Amino acid sequence: KELSRPGFNQYVDTIVKVNQRLEKEEAEVDVTGSVYYKLAGEIAMSGGAMGTGVSMLKIALKFFEAHRSDANANATVNLEGLIEQCRHLITALTPPPTPDCPP
């Protein structure tokens, strides 16, 4: 069954607004917050907002990697798996660079 992009797209504005608020408040992000960013990225990309999706996934990846050495976090979730999933999605959604065209 095909994904309903409009069903996901309706949440992209909310994702962007929440991200802006978190940035403004300089909220500290723990592993749970990192999972929010990953989910937000997946929802955004499912709604067709690939740029927003990649941005959210990059934020999630940054925080997952920051918590990699936290034994409590690693006991709760599979950080390595989440890191690998984020990397895979970012790679899949990021277009390859285009070679410069000669003048």
Side-chain angles (χ1 to χ4, degrees):
K1 190 172 179 180
E2 194 170 310
L3 284 176
S4 169
R5 292 209 183 274
F8 286 98
N9 193 38
Q10 67 181 326
Y11 300 109
V12 174
D13 264 356
T14 302
I15 288 168
V16 170
K17 288 176 185 174
V18 168
N19 184 49
Q20 289 170 343
R21 183 173 176 184
L22 291 171
E23 284 179 353
K24 181 180 176 185
E25 294 178 5
E26 297 178 3
E28 186 175 326
V29 179
D30 59 5
V31 173
T32 303
S34 303
V35 171
Y36 158 76
Y37 281 109
K38 181 177 180 291
L39 176 61
E42 291 169 345
I43 291 171
M45 70 168 207
S46 296
M50 300 307 177
T52 300
V54 169
S55 294
M56 296 290 105
L57 290 167
K58 285 181 177 180
I59 293 168
L61 180 60
K62 177 179 80 169
F63 288 121
F64 284 140
E65 288 176 337
H67 292 287
R68 194 181 239 163
S69 63
D70 181 349
N72 290 332
N74 279 303
T76 307
V77 295
N78 176 1
L79 284 179
E80 293 303 320
L82 292 169
I83 288 169
E84 182 59 33
Q85 291 168 16
C86 285
R87 287 183 179 155
H88 176 74
L89 288 168
I90 290 167
T91 300
L93 295 173
T94 304
T98 55
D100 292 335
C101 295

